[in-house]
Amino acid sequence: SVICGRGFIRVDIVWADGGKIISIEKSVSPTSYPKVFYPTTSARFILELSAGFCDTHDLKVGDSFSQSL
């Protein structure tokens, strides 16, 4: 779950697991606090990206991704 409230900018929230995007919440505002955002299923990773990033880069639920640590 993600709670916004201390930030100052809108963000796109992306939840991912198993190399795939499983849920996206676009343009979440800090004024949405105390609303809590949840993915549609369990997720291992959460990315907070600049609002509009998902649209600009055409990210969609089900898209694959790779990671390196």
Side-chain angles (χ1 to χ4, degrees):
S1 65
V2 177
I3 301 172
C4 291
R6 296 188 181 209
F8 299 101
I9 61 169
R10 291 179 175 271
V11 295
D12 289 347
I13 303 170
V14 176
W15 289 269
D17 199 6
K20 296 215 181 269
I21 295 174
I22 59 170
S23 192
I24 297 174
E25 190 73 39
K26 295 180 182 177
S27 198
V28 175
S29 171
T31 60
S32 65
Y33 179 81
K35 183 176 179 184
V36 179
F37 297 90
Y38 297 96
T40 53
T41 60
S42 296
R44 186 170 177 194
F45 302 100
I46 301 172
L47 301 172
E48 290 185 2
L49 307 166
S50 298
F53 186 95
C54 291
D55 288 336
T56 299
H57 297 280
D58 198 29
L59 297 182
K60 304 179 290 304
V61 171
D63 284 354
S64 298
F65 74 96
S66 62
Q67 65 184 28
S68 59
L69 299 174

